[in-house]
Amino acid sequence: MKKVFLKDIARDLNISKTTVSLVLNNKGDKNKISKDTQQKVLDYAKTHNYMPNQLARGLSRGKSETIGLIIPNISDTFYAKIASRLEEKAKDLGYTVIFSSTREEPKKEAELIQAMLNRQVEGLIIASTQKNQQDIKELKKDNFPFVLVDRHYPECESDYVVVDNFKGSRVATEHLLNLKRKKIGFVTLKPGLEVMNQRLLGYRHALQKLNIEPSDTLVKELDTENYKEEMPQAIKELLSFPNAVDSIVFSTHFLTASGLRELRRFSIRVPQEVAIISFDQMSAFDLVEPPITAVIQPVLDIGDIALDILMKKINAKDSIAYSKRVLDTELVIRKSCGTI
Amino acid sequence: MKKVFLKDIARDLNISKTTVSLVLNNKGDKNKISKDTQQKVLDYAKTHNYMPNQLARGLSRGKSETIGLIIPNISDTFYAKIASRLEEKAKDLGYTVIFSSTREEPKKEAELIQAMLNRQVEGLIIASTQKNQQDIKELKKDNFPFVLVDRHYPECESDYVVVDNFKGSRVATEHLLNLKRKKIGFVTLKPGLEVMNQRLLGYRHALQKLNIEPSDTLVKELDTENYKEEMPQAIKELLSFPNAVDSIVFSTHFLTASGLRELRRFSIRVPQEVAIISFDQMSAFDLVEPPITAVIQPVLDIGDIALDILMKKINAKDSIAYSKRVLDTELVIRKSCGTI
DNA sequence: CTGAAAGCGCTTACAG
DNA sequence: CTGAAAGCGCTTACAG
């Protein structure tokens, strides 16, 4: 199959490249190209399987029909689901998505944004490291279309779609309190992510409402890279004096999985001795023993809404107001918190 | 930040675009551009944050520095991991990866391949629907660099890196047999995927070696789309006359998860009444009760090797011999098969 | 040492 | 109804 170009069609049909291009872009009627010519072009293109070079087209029209997705890690189920959804939706709109992972490194995030811009993406969807306000501001200044997902910069106005982390975490903690748990531990990641901070605040708030002063020793902050190594110590400390927790809130799915492994190793019965609850989940959390009660995020909605907003931005001539969406989480009660 | 182009640098520095381009592409020395000029260009580029338009560059050089990844579904943990690995490695080589999901539809696969070619990807990594030999052959004929992962076409020579599904499944079944299980069911997807076929054959082979004739009623083939709806019936049939299985092999991770849910619903004790083993796994399979014995695939290796092969193909002037890699799986024994 | 010019494969005002 | 020409932003033989 020889590759066929515009000029080949033009030559073989004895017409100009202009005419061919117009017809192929459905601008034949508007430009009053005779039905006859149009048909000839269409037929030729079909039989010779003509396919335009998107690089050339993009360069010429100044648009690439590509959007970029920047996330911490495509192999995290949460982001993979968002990516999957975005890709499906975007394809329907004629857009391709290119993705890249930051591995939580702000430097990489900065590079990736640049790389994507170089590739002339028309818009960006970013789950930021939240340590890169600089570049986000830059994008804003250039009026470049982008929407933040999962994580945004509270001090820096922009389009975003996130989840109410504070509330989700508060509700989770209250669930434990309602079940008469008093000593509630909180296992999370080292500060740096506003998302995690909000979850911590939600936990604190729930306790304070009941006049329980949340002791700092009840909060364990692990390193994103080394959480598996640090988990045993964290769990051990939570289990012993002065903590001796009767329940633990884990601030994200992989911490829950890791924490549960340790609880098992210490032969702690869940939920009898220690109840656990997870912010966010993995696909087998309902099969785990006990099935894990979790705060669920509306992943698909996040993808849908983010793309909607982005497309609006891309297609808007003038700058339009920011869309700020904060979605609710859902508490799925299984068995890891027991009953009263 | 105004965007700056080659011509801007040339104008401001009073030199030609040629010189600027040469310097920026590290061809300054080779072309004997004076150190002085080079430095000026570099400085200017740096301070003005010059970034080349990749569309233009790609068009001009005839290469896009992009590779395409076509998979059934990016939100499947298996493919997500491959994607993650590929992306990381590719980035180091200066390549961007664009991905798209086929949702197991051969028609979509065909479209996606075309779309990627239009975008001038330099190579393709494909986990095919295995119902699209047509397009694969086309790629071969055009001598276009591509490597098949996870699934290949046995009758159609090409580069590929897959796993020994037959052996993996045989080993899994033998594990059950060694534990004195006699009535072994097999839950898989409807025919169409050679991968699944191999796993079925591996299961059959293990039984036949012990002169057990594998009854067809022991094999349940579910629909990829509706497996959740079909699972209850399948499990029910396996549990009752004439099957009354004492163990089940599930041919892929999500079937295992779904099947286990049903076994629970029927209050079947695993592994006492029915042992289960899973081909492929999910991240929480070690936390499930009982922790699930599984055949593990070397995902990272698949990604690494596939990319290696692809890059070799891309960089080869002449056509080179096909690389056909069949990797071994690993049996991770946990508790879902019990002991003797 | 450096530059003018052609070319990559398209699109699109503009002219007739 | 249709075409010649310029242009998108680069790269790269070629000439001097």
Side-chain angles (χ1 to χ4, degrees):
Chain A
M1 197 69 155
K2 271 280 305 300
K3 239 188 189 163
V4 34
F5 301 111
L6 261 196
K7 63 166 175 246
D8 299 323
I9 307 186
R11 178 180 16 76
D12 289 5
L13 258 34
N14 256 314
I15 51 181
S16 73
K17 289 196 305 178
T18 305
T19 306
V20 179
S21 174
L22 255 17
V23 173
L24 261 17
N25 283 296
N26 283 320
K27 295 182 182 164
D29 287 339
K30 209 170 63 186
N31 286 272
K32 313 209 177 129
I33 314 262
S34 71
K35 282 287 168 216
D36 190 45
T37 310
Q38 291 203 40
Q39 201 52 53
K40 273 195 301 191
V41 172
L42 260 15
D43 287 349
Y44 190 104
K46 184 119 185 196
T47 61
H48 291 74
N49 195 25
Y50 170 74
M51 288 279 148
N53 178 323
Q54 298 290 345
L55 256 37
R57 163 183 275 217
L59 179 60
S60 179
R61 303 207 304 183
K63 51 197 313 265
S64 60
E65 293 184 312
T66 302
I67 65 176
L69 173 64
I70 296 178
I71 49 182
N73 190 349
I74 188 67
S75 70
D76 181 302
T77 144
F78 177 73
Y79 297 114
K81 278 186 190 136
I82 292 182
S84 171
R85 184 64 165 209
L86 280 176
E87 187 230 328
E88 203 177 355
K89 293 282 189 176
K91 191 158 44 196
D92 291 343
L93 301 172
Y95 278 75
T96 298
V97 12
I98 68 184
F99 74 92
S100 279
S101 307
T102 62
R103 320 269 159 193
E104 301 288 6
E105 295 169 32
K107 193 159 144 278
K108 250 186 198 160
E109 177 169 321
E111 288 169 13
L112 289 178
I113 291 178
Q114 262 312 331
M116 297 237 172
L117 294 182
N118 297 349
R119 282 176 188 271
Q120 313 302 115
V121 297
E122 293 180 32
L124 239 22
I125 292 185
I126 309 174
S128 173
T129 56
Q130 290 190 320
K131 299 188 192 82
N132 190 29
Q133 188 148 173
Q134 178 69 34
D135 289 85
I136 303 296
K137 277 191 178 145
E138 201 73 32
L139 289 175
K140 273 180 63 172
K141 219 172 62 194
D142 294 348
N143 210 7
F144 186 84
F146 74 99
V147 7
L148 264 24
V149 291
D150 184 40
R151 306 153 166 199
H152 73 302
Y153 290 86
E155 334 77 59
C156 174
E157 244 197 338
S158 80
D159 291 280
Y160 62 75
V161 15
V162 299
V163 127
D164 193 334
N165 290 289
F166 178 86
K167 188 167 153 198
S169 180
R170 196 198 70 208
V171 167
T173 310
E174 284 169 352
H175 178 65
L176 252 15
L177 291 167
N178 290 339
L179 294 169
K180 305 299 176 208
R181 304 282 172 164
K182 316 250 183 245
K183 274 283 199 177
I184 307 179
F186 191 82
V187 177
T188 185
L189 297 172
K190 285 232 170 69
L193 287 175
E194 180 57 20
V195 174
M196 294 299 160
N197 190 34
Q198 286 299 317
R199 294 179 192 174
L200 178 57
L201 291 177
Y203 155 82
R204 287 227 171 94
H205 185 80
L207 295 182
Q208 283 162 340
K209 271 210 314 196
L210 292 195
N211 291 316
I212 306 178
E213 198 42 50
S215 147
D216 280 351
T217 63
L218 285 172
V219 176
K220 297 299 171 196
E221 296 177 324
L222 312 186
D223 189 86
T224 312
E225 296 299 311
N226 294 312
Y227 70 92
K228 282 184 187 171
E229 288 69 35
E230 299 175 7
M231 188 62 77
Q233 180 66 16
I235 295 292
K236 199 169 139 194
E237 287 178 18
L238 285 178
L239 293 175
S240 45
F241 181 84
N243 295 318
V245 300
D246 55 24
S247 52
I248 302 176
V249 178
F250 290 96
S251 75
T252 193
H253 54 26
F254 56 83
L255 290 178
T256 309
S258 171
L260 181 55
R261 282 187 195 106
E262 292 312 319
L263 287 170
R264 291 261 177 90
R265 204 159 296 157
F266 287 119
S267 300
I268 301 296
R269 285 175 307 143
V270 179
Q272 296 84 336
E273 296 177 76
V274 175
I276 67 175
I277 192 164
S278 176
F279 202 109
D280 212 356
Q281 70 170 353
M282 289 178 175
S283 40
F285 270 17
D286 63 324
L287 297 173
V288 169
E289 184 53 42
I292 298 172
T293 294
V295 175
I296 311 296
Q297 306 194 55
V299 230
L300 301 188
D301 290 347
I302 293 176
D304 285 351
I305 297 173
L307 190 60
D308 270 4
I309 299 176
L310 188 63
M311 292 323 278
K312 251 182 225 131
K313 284 285 175 180
I314 290 177
N315 295 320
K317 305 116 224 330
D318 320 308
S319 72
I320 52 182
Y322 291 122
S323 300
K324 307 173 185 180
R325 299 292 302 272
V326 180
L327 308 183
D328 265 332
T329 54
E330 185 193 351
L331 179 67
V332 174
I333 298 177
R334 291 196 272 249
K335 298 187 175 166
S336 64
C337 297
T339 49
I340 293 189
Chain B
M1 198 69 157
K2 269 282 305 297
K3 241 189 189 159
V4 34
F5 302 111
L6 263 195
K7 63 166 176 243
D8 299 324
I9 307 186
R11 179 182 14 79
D12 289 4
L13 257 35
N14 256 314
I15 52 180
S16 73
K17 289 194 305 177
T18 306
T19 307
V20 179
S21 173
L22 256 18
V23 172
L24 260 17
N25 284 297
N26 284 319
K27 295 182 181 164
D29 287 339
K30 209 170 61 185
N31 286 272
K32 314 207 175 135
I33 313 264
S34 71
K35 283 285 169 219
D36 191 45
T37 310
Q38 292 202 41
Q39 201 52 54
K40 272 195 301 190
V41 172
L42 261 15
D43 288 349
Y44 190 103
K46 183 117 182 197
T47 59
H48 292 73
N49 194 26
Y50 170 75
M51 289 280 146
N53 178 325
Q54 297 291 346
L55 256 36
R57 160 184 277 217
L59 180 60
S60 178
R61 305 206 303 182
K63 49 196 314 262
S64 60
E65 293 184 310
T66 302
I67 65 177
L69 172 64
I70 296 180
I71 49 181
N73 190 347
I74 187 67
S75 70
D76 180 303
T77 142
F78 177 73
Y79 297 115
K81 276 185 191 136
I82 293 183
S84 170
R85 185 64 165 208
L86 281 176
E87 187 231 329
E88 203 176 354
K89 293 282 188 172
K91 189 158 46 195
D92 292 342
L93 302 172
Y95 278 76
T96 298
V97 11
I98 67 184
F99 74 95
S100 279
S101 307
T102 62
R103 319 269 159 195
E104 301 289 6
E105 296 170 32
K107 193 160 143 276
K108 248 186 198 158
E109 178 171 320
E111 288 169 12
L112 289 178
I113 291 178
Q114 261 313 331
M116 296 236 172
L117 294 181
N118 297 348
R119 282 175 188 272
Q120 313 302 113
V121 297
E122 293 180 33
L124 240 21
I125 292 184
I126 310 176
S128 174
T129 55
Q130 289 189 320
K131 300 187 192 81
N132 190 30
Q133 188 149 171
Q134 177 69 33
D135 289 86
I136 302 297
K137 278 190 177 146
E138 200 74 31
L139 290 174
K140 273 180 64 172
K141 220 172 60 192
D142 295 348
N143 210 6
F144 186 85
F146 74 99
V147 8
L148 264 22
V149 292
D150 184 39
R151 305 155 169 199
H152 72 304
Y153 291 86
E155 336 76 59
C156 173
E157 246 198 339
S158 81
D159 292 281
Y160 62 75
V161 15
V162 299
V163 128
D164 193 337
N165 290 290
F166 178 86
K167 187 167 153 199
S169 181
R170 197 198 70 208
V171 167
T173 310
E174 285 168 354
H175 179 64
L176 252 12
L177 291 167
N178 290 338
L179 294 169
K180 304 301 176 207
R181 303 283 172 164
K182 314 253 185 239
K183 275 283 199 178
I184 307 179
F186 191 82
V187 177
T188 184
L189 297 173
K190 284 231 170 70
L193 286 176
E194 180 56 22
V195 174
M196 292 300 159
N197 189 34
Q198 286 300 317
R199 294 179 193 174
L200 177 57
L201 290 176
Y203 155 81
R204 285 227 172 93
H205 184 79
L207 294 183
Q208 283 162 344
K209 269 209 314 197
L210 291 195
N211 291 316
I212 307 178
E213 198 41 51
S215 147
D216 280 352
T217 63
L218 285 172
V219 175
K220 297 299 171 195
E221 297 177 323
L222 313 187
D223 189 86
T224 312
E225 295 299 311
N226 293 312
Y227 70 91
K228 282 185 185 168
E229 286 71 34
E230 298 174 6
M231 188 63 78
Q233 179 66 16
I235 295 291
K236 200 170 141 194
E237 288 177 18
L238 285 178
L239 293 176
S240 45
F241 180 82
N243 296 318
V245 300
D246 55 23
S247 51
I248 302 176
V249 179
F250 290 96
S251 74
T252 194
H253 55 25
F254 55 84
L255 290 178
T256 310
S258 170
L260 181 56
R261 281 187 195 108
E262 293 312 320
L263 288 170
R264 292 262 178 90
R265 204 159 296 157
F266 288 120
S267 301
I268 302 296
R269 285 175 307 143
V270 178
Q272 296 87 335
E273 297 176 74
V274 175
I276 68 174
I277 192 165
S278 176
F279 201 109
D280 212 356
Q281 70 170 351
M282 289 178 174
S283 39
F285 270 18
D286 63 323
L287 296 172
V288 170
E289 185 51 42
I292 297 173
T293 294
V295 175
I296 310 296
Q297 306 193 56
V299 231
L300 300 187
D301 291 346
I302 294 176
D304 285 351
I305 298 174
L307 190 61
D308 271 4
I309 299 176
L310 188 64
M311 292 321 281
K312 252 182 223 130
K313 285 285 175 181
I314 290 177
N315 295 321
K317 305 113 224 329
D318 320 308
S319 72
I320 53 181
Y322 291 122
S323 301
K324 305 171 184 182
R325 299 292 302 275
V326 180
L327 309 183
D328 265 332
T329 54
E330 185 193 351
L331 179 66
V332 175
I333 297 177
R334 291 195 272 249
K335 298 188 175 165
S336 65
C337 298
T339 49
I340 294 190

